[in-house]
Every structure is written in C-alpha cells, then in structure tokens.
Amino acid sequence: MTMNESLIRLSELNAADYNLNDNSIYNPVGGTAYGYNGEKIGSVRDALVEPSTGRIRFLLVDVGGWFSSKEVLVPVGYSRIDDTGVYFDNLTKDQVKAMSEYREGQAYSTDMMDTDERVLRGVTDVDTTQYRERVVSGKDAEVADYRQRAYATPDRLQLLEERLVVNKDKFKAGSVQIGKRVETHQETVQVPLTREEVVIERHAVTDGRPVEGAVLGAASETITVDLEAERANVSKQAYVTEEVSLGKRAVTETQTVTETIGKEVLEVNKTGEVVTTDGTRSAAGDVAQAAGNKIEEGADRLRAVGHEIAGAVTGNPKHDALAAEDRAKADMNNAQARADINDADRKV
C-alpha cells in the first residue's frame, strides 16, 4: 500500500472491469453502518480503493443518523463486517464531528487524511501541520503500526447472489358490456280449430201415413241452420325466460417468468506450491508438479535412446534392457503428469 497513490471510488473500479470476486476485494457498498455501542449511524455509500490492486482503503460513510447531512471517510480497518451490516465499534459521534467532511468529486487530500488520522488516533497535543511534520520526519513510530491496522482489508468476504423478486400490479385487461337486442325467427304453431258442419239424416218411412189437407208442391219451406267455426287470432306476449346479473370474480393462474440472475462465487488465486486447509496442493502446485514430471519423462526418453544406440553399436543386450527400463520410467512420469493436470483442472 502506497500512501501517496491516488485513490478512486469503488464505483469507478466497477466501471473499469475489475474482478470484484477477487479475494483481495470486498464490496461493502449499501451496507447499514453502525457506530460506537452499536448505534445505527447511516449507511456505506461508497469506498476509496487503490486503482492498481483494487484494495479498499477508506469506506465512505453517510452519518445521517448522527448529523443532518455529512459524509466521512473511515479507514477500512476500523470496520467489522457482520451479516447485519458494517460496524465501526470504536467510532464515536465526537470523532465524526471533528473529521473532515467529504463531498462527491473532491480529492481526499493529504491534509484531510492527516486530520482524520489524528482525530481517530486521539492525538490532541499537536495540530495537523505539526502532525504531518512528525510523520514525515519519522518521529512518530506508532504511525506505521496504526496504518497497517487501519488500512487492512477485511478478512470477511460476503458472496452475493441475485434472486428474483416478483411483484404484482393490477392493470385494465379489458371490459365487458352487456345489452339487449331483438332477434326474430319464424315459428309455426299447430292450433286446433273447431267448425260446425250440417248433418243431414234421411230415414225411409215404411208405413206411409196420410197427410190431411196437404197439397203436393203447394208450399215451399226452407230451413236455415247457422254453422259456427273457430278461427286463429294470433297475438304476441313477452315472457321472462332468463335473468342476467353482472359481477366480478378473481381467477388465479400461474404464469412462468424467466429472467437471468447472477451469483457471486468465491475465487481463490494461489501462486506456487500452496497447501490448502485440507492438506492438498493448489491447482498451481499441481501444474508445477506436472511440469516437473514432464521434464523427467523427457530425460528418461533421451536416456532410452542413448541405450538403444549403444546396444546397436556394441550388440550388448544389456543396453536394450536399460532402454526398456528408461521407457517404463518415462511412461510413469507421463501418467503422473496427466494426473496432476486433471487435479489442477478439478480445483480450478
């Protein structure tokens, strides 16, 4: 860590395509901030990091819980990371009040840094200028130890994953209008009608009876019979055949929603022959071991060729046996190298 190195915001580091999953980078932005005695003081708005390494040096804390409007930069070593937020156990309200207010876009100058460092260390016997002279001259031996602790990157790494949060809102999906219209059709009805008919019955008289005074054809008599008949009188009458009521009901249906979400996974970068906690080599160690076995394989094959040449020249079968032994060693080294590479692939 170089104290004179220009720092950039962590949000700018994201834009620069740094790998925030690297084990040296921790992203605390958005976490709830707590001060002395666990008092909630605000939230972590951003951080200042080293552009060359991505390591966090300062956390930008909005202390709105203590003051109406103020943001300060607190060395990352003052923080304690918990599942519930970021804790600054030794940060008091008086210290925050005496610290420099940081505004977006401004440079965190050396004087501001020294002022805040003096406040956090509780150095009250000198002002900022005298404190800077003491630091430059090396007379303050505790500064190096303080800065090593104050700017130590947190050893706790929170891995985040995205989860789908589906909310529901109502919208007008449509409307229904109910009305009436007249629909006509032809209907045929069979109506039974009654009518009267004249029935004439004639009866023959077997024993003729005389009619006194009757003169045949002298009188003409006519009998009138009125006949009645029914006829259909058609009229129309409206009847209620159905009643319609209008209402609403809620119908629940399951809809499948597909979205791409991300998850942070731990990446551990190791160099050299590193032994992990379970006693196994790292991927880099496996690769190195594989390279050594390949070198041994090459040497064995060269020795085998030498013995074959010597056997061809001298005709001594001993050289053939030695050549076969060297080739067998070469095959073993080659197999071991392959196994090491497979181990490295699994660990990666």
Side-chain angles (χ1 to χ4, degrees):
M1 179 181 62
T2 304
M3 292 300 297
N4 295 326
E5 183 178 10
S6 298
L7 304 177
I8 64 174
R9 296 171 74 102
L10 184 60
S11 55
E12 298 173 0
L13 189 69
N14 290 337
D17 292 331
Y18 276 73
N19 179 13
L20 288 179
N21 287 330
D22 186 88
N23 63 344
S24 63
I25 299 176
Y26 169 71
N27 188 356
V29 176
T32 303
Y34 299 88
Y36 185 69
N37 282 337
E39 183 178 357
K40 182 179 178 180
I41 62 176
S43 61
V44 178
R45 287 292 183 85
D46 210 331
L48 296 186
V49 302
E50 298 175 357
S52 60
T53 64
R55 293 183 181 276
I56 293 178
R57 288 267 300 281
F58 297 93
L59 297 178
L60 178 57
V61 184
D62 181 354
V63 290
W66 276 343
F67 301 94
S68 59
S69 176
K70 187 174 184 179
E71 293 183 352
V72 297
L73 288 169
V74 182
V76 67
Y78 270 74
S79 64
R80 175 175 60 86
I81 310 303
D82 200 330
D83 292 334
T84 57
V86 182
Y87 288 81
F88 303 93
D89 296 323
N90 298 318
L91 186 64
T92 66
K93 185 174 183 178
D94 291 337
Q95 286 177 318
V96 171
K97 184 177 181 180
M99 291 175 67
S100 304
E101 181 177 2
Y102 180 82
R103 300 183 183 277
E104 185 174 357
Q106 76 176 119
Y108 193 46
S109 66
T110 302
D111 287 341
M112 295 172 64
M113 186 185 304
D114 289 341
T115 297
D116 292 344
E117 184 175 300
R118 185 171 60 86
V119 170
L120 294 174
R121 289 186 60 199
V123 179
T124 58
D125 58 333
V126 295
D127 59 19
T128 301
T129 302
Q130 294 173 319
Y131 182 80
R132 160 93 338 227
E133 293 176 352
R134 180 184 296 181
V135 171
V136 173
S137 65
K139 294 180 180 179
D140 196 334
E142 297 179 358
V143 172
D145 178 66
Y146 166 82
R147 289 181 174 175
Q148 183 176 0
R149 290 182 287 105
Y151 303 115
T153 303
D155 57 2
R156 182 189 177 112
L157 193 65
Q158 290 180 331
L159 301 181
L160 308 179
E161 70 174 1
E162 295 175 330
R163 296 182 180 178
L164 290 182
V165 178
V166 180
N167 297 317
K168 298 185 291 185
D169 59 356
K170 293 185 177 180
F171 67 99
K172 184 177 180 180
S175 61
V176 177
Q177 294 179 339
I178 295 180
K180 297 192 299 181
R181 64 183 175 87
V182 176
E183 185 179 81
T184 62
H185 66 279
Q186 296 291 330
E187 185 172 333
T188 301
V189 180
Q190 299 294 329
V191 181
L193 299 176
T194 303
R195 62 183 176 83
E196 294 178 339
E197 294 180 346
V198 175
V199 179
I200 301 174
E201 294 182 357
R202 299 175 65 181
H203 303 281
V205 178
T206 59
D207 52 346
R209 295 186 300 273
V211 178
E212 296 292 338
V215 179
L216 187 64
S220 177
E221 294 182 0
T222 301
I223 299 174
T224 300
V225 178
D226 292 330
L227 301 177
E228 294 182 349
E230 295 177 336
R231 61 186 173 190
N233 295 320
V234 180
S235 63
K236 292 182 285 185
Q237 175 67 49
Y239 289 86
V240 176
T241 61
E242 185 179 358
E243 291 184 346
V244 179
S245 60
L246 186 61
K248 296 190 299 182
R249 64 174 178 172
V251 179
T252 302
E253 62 181 10
T254 301
Q255 182 177 2
T256 302
V257 180
T258 303
E259 185 56 79
T260 301
I261 60 176
K263 178 181 180 180
E264 295 178 347
V265 296
L266 183 65
E267 291 186 359
V268 180
N269 298 323
K270 299 179 181 180
T271 303
E273 185 66 14
V274 179
V275 178
T276 58
T277 56
D278 60 357
T280 60
R281 280 196 308 267
S282 66
D286 289 329
V287 172
Q289 186 65 34
N293 288 326
K294 292 299 288 184
I295 293 174
E296 288 294 329
E297 177 196 357
D300 290 333
R301 297 198 186 281
L302 286 176
R303 283 192 292 269
V305 171
H307 287 303
E308 289 174 349
I309 295 174
V313 172
T314 63
N316 189 343
K318 177 181 178 181
H319 292 291
D320 294 335
L322 292 174
E325 182 180 344
D326 289 332
R327 281 194 298 271
K329 291 180 180 178
D331 292 338
M332 290 178 59
N333 284 320
N334 183 43
Q336 185 60 48
R338 274 203 223 100
D340 292 333
I341 290 298
N342 290 335
D343 288 341
D345 289 339
R346 286 194 296 271
K347 292 172 182 177
V348 171

